[in-house]
Amino acid sequence: MLTPALPTQGSYRGRFAPSPSGPLHFGSLVAALASYLAAKQYHGKWLVRMEDIDTPRMVKGADSHILRTLEAFGLHWDEPIIYQSLRHNYYNDVLSELQQQDLIYSCVCTRKAIKLNGGIYTNQCRALQHPADGNALRLRQNHPVLQFTDMIQGTINTAPPLAHEDYIVKRRDGLHAYQLVVVLDDIAQDISHIVRGADLLEPTARQLGLFQQLNKPAPQFAHVPVIVTKPGLKLSKQNHAPAIDQNNPQPALCRALNYLGLSVPQDIAHSRSEDILSWAQNHFNLQAIPAVGELQLDECS
Ligand code: GLU
């Protein structure tokens, strides 16, 4: 476990970036809390960004439900919320620049074909000049990242075939890919620290490579354990994620803090969310968070 490089007072900018594909569940609350507390501990700003780019997966009204839940838990954001669905011009402009530098090419390989071929795309369409229309666009991986340091999980290695994979930046259906837009928005919002769930540990190397490709400083990353019901099974609506009760946030708040290594004293546990959070801010320590990829729902009480 590593101590994060200390940002200068006030320079910390963190964010929580939910995809509004359903209401906020307990696992996302743990990630939101970790990013909020880290930002507040460094006297930084905490931003919320709606990652509603994958339109077929979005659920109407989920964005406002998530925001109401955050507010009920005392998690108030510091700047206006941005919605990725409104930022296509920005993403297209960056894509055009990459295209002009001959860094983008069309790929006809289906997910099924790649899976049959071992699961990793081996850049076979690079020189084939497929038409752009109806095909996915990939970015030439000129900045493979084989190793990086995560503030919670320590040294993370990426196996060479994956690190060298040219990845999709615009999907066959015309939608911009998460891999591209998450980095573009972290740049646009000047994010200095990303604290999020460990399910996103693997794409981090790729994202660090994109910061390099775009010649921008990369944020520091900290990945908190994902909450699972049994090994490998993330919490979801389908597998009995504990309901988050906006009208009675204290029990879930204390439980979520427990997963982050914080045991809320009884005399504070029934106070307002804001009071519990201000206690948590004073006691939060990234190094107290277990350096594991997942924690089972019953591992804390
Ligand atoms: N929108 C992503 C999710 O909800 C999170 C992306 C990120 O934090 O980088 O899983």
Side-chain angles (χ1 to χ4, degrees), residues 15-19 49 51 178 182 186 194-197 199-200 207 234:
R15 53 53 161 193
F16 175 55
S19 302
R49 176 168 77 229
E51 298 211 323
Y178 159 72
V182 70
D186 284 328
I194 295 177
V195 181
R196 61 184 181 186
D199 50 331
L200 293 165
Q207 291 168 19
K234 262 193 357 170

Side-chain angles (χ1 to χ4, degrees), residues 2 14 25 45-47 78 106 116 143 161 174 184 190 208 290:
L2 302 160
H25 61 69
K45 297 262 193 258
W46 186 67
L47 281 59
D78 295 312
S106 306
L116 283 173
H143 295 273
L184 296 191
D190 205 11
L208 285 166

Side-chain angles (χ1 to χ4, degrees), residues 58-290:
M58 296 306 107
V59 170
K60 201 163 182 279
D63 57 337
S64 47
H65 191 278
I66 290 172
L67 295 176
R68 279 200 310 274
T69 309
L70 292 175
E71 282 183 318
F73 279 80
L75 298 167
H76 304 295
W77 47 96
D78 295 312
E79 290 183 8
I81 291 165
I82 67 170
Y83 281 75
Q84 291 188 322
S85 56
L86 303 176
R87 295 168 63 75
H88 290 286
N89 289 348
Y90 166 49
Y91 307 142
N92 278 329
D93 287 350
V94 178
L95 264 187
S96 305
E97 279 171 33
L98 293 169
Q99 248 152 351
Q100 276 158 25
Q101 297 166 50
D102 200 22
L103 290 168
I104 303 279
Y105 66 89
S106 306
C107 170
V108 294
C109 299
T110 59
R111 199 183 293 221
K112 198 171 154 197
I114 294 169
K115 208 168 167 196
L116 283 173
N117 200 23
I120 294 181
Y121 169 72
T122 45
N123 308 344
Q124 53 269 41
C125 290
R126 259 192 183 194
L128 297 182
Q129 315 277 351
H130 294 298
D133 272 1
N135 289 323
L137 299 182
R138 289 186 185 263
L139 176 73
R140 287 174 195 271
Q141 181 51 282
N142 289 346
H143 295 273
V145 171
L146 295 163
Q147 189 178 79
F148 66 93
T149 302
D150 183 87
M151 290 188 292
I152 295 172
Q153 306 289 342
T155 302
I156 304 296
N157 295 300
T158 306
L162 183 61
H164 292 285
E165 184 183 50
D166 293 342
Y167 55 89
I168 292 181
V169 284
K170 197 164 186 178
R171 302 173 1 179
R172 181 190 304 267
D173 60 9
L175 291 173
H176 294 104
Y178 159 72
Q179 297 297 347
L180 174 76
V181 298
V182 70
V183 170
L184 296 191
D185 284 335
D186 284 328
I187 290 171
Q189 296 192 292
D190 205 11
I191 298 300
S192 66
H193 290 73
I194 295 177
V195 181
R196 61 184 181 186
D199 50 331
L200 293 165
L201 200 51
E202 189 198 281
T204 303
R206 203 175 262 173
Q207 291 168 19
L208 285 166
L210 185 51
F211 281 98
Q212 287 180 26
Q213 175 68 63
L214 298 169
N215 218 358
K216 299 287 181 195
Q220 299 206 41
F221 285 87
H223 286 87
V224 301
V226 168
I227 310 299
V228 295
T229 48
K230 53 182 176 186
L233 197 62
K234 262 193 357 170
L235 269 189
S236 69
K237 274 179 294 178
Q238 289 74 26
N239 60 20
H240 313 297
I244 292 202
D245 184 355
Q246 292 182 12
N247 300 317
N248 181 27
Q250 288 85 349
L253 187 52
C254 293
R255 203 151 182 242
L257 288 169
N258 223 317
Y259 282 92
L260 297 174
L262 291 169
S263 181
V264 182
Q266 271 309 309
D267 57 326
I268 295 173
H270 302 286
S271 318
R272 292 179 325 134
S273 298
E274 280 81 359
D275 297 332
I276 299 175
L277 284 178
S278 79
W279 175 88
Q281 259 169 59
N282 292 330
H283 294 83
F284 180 74
N285 178 1
L286 271 182
Q287 296 184 34
I289 300 177

